[in-house]
Amino acid sequence: QVQLVESGGNLVQPGGSLRLSCAASGFTFSDWGMVWVRQAPGKGLEWVSGINSGGRSTGYADFVKGRFTISRDNAKNVLYLQMDSLKPEDTAIYYCARGNASGPRGQGTQVTVSS
């Protein structure tokens, strides 16, 4: 079955950086586009970034454009999200999902940006 395991979340100061990872198994990772979504306290799920199956096409929500970078390693079945210049409003649980925001996703990893 599809399994996605996120890691890398932590408490970080504003302006800091984190790299999230998503280890995928149970499906042919290289056949699927992948996305990162997030859910802040008291808010709904929002799409953050996406990448196509080959890793050559990416997209970002306006609120992270220029600060976050999505990438993938199809040989290792891992999806990444490099997050720089973090802001308090980036505080959320971050999930990776297969295909789109409605696809199977993992348990999430908590990112907290606070001084």
Side-chain angles (χ1 to χ4, degrees):
Q1 70 278 17
V2 174
Q3 187 169 13
L4 298 165
V5 180
E6 302 92 339
S7 61
N10 211 332
L11 170 63
V12 63
Q13 292 188 342
S17 297
L18 284 174
R19 188 174 84 152
L20 305 184
S21 298
C22 168
S25 61
F27 65 103
T28 304
F29 182 69
S30 59
D31 284 350
W32 287 85
M34 299 290 295
V35 302
W36 286 99
V37 296
R38 72 185 187 185
Q39 186 163 27
K43 296 188 177 182
L45 203 64
E46 60 182 355
W47 180 84
V48 174
S49 181
I51 188 168
N52 73 340
S53 57
R56 295 183 179 181
S57 180
T58 59
Y60 299 92
D62 285 345
F63 53 79
V64 303
K65 202 169 291 185
R67 300 188 298 122
F68 290 11
T69 304
I70 190 171
S71 62
R72 65 192 295 161
D73 186 334
N74 284 347
K76 296 181 178 179
N77 290 351
V78 180
L79 176 72
Y80 301 102
L81 186 67
Q82 176 67 40
M83 305 189 297
D84 299 316
S85 303
L86 282 161
K87 305 175 181 180
E89 51 264 43
D90 294 319
T91 295
I93 299 174
Y94 284 73
Y95 303 89
C96 63
R98 188 184 72 174
N100 56 52
S102 299
R105 61 178 185 259
Q107 82 293 341
T109 187
Q110 176 71 50
V111 172
T112 303
V113 185
S114 174
S115 55

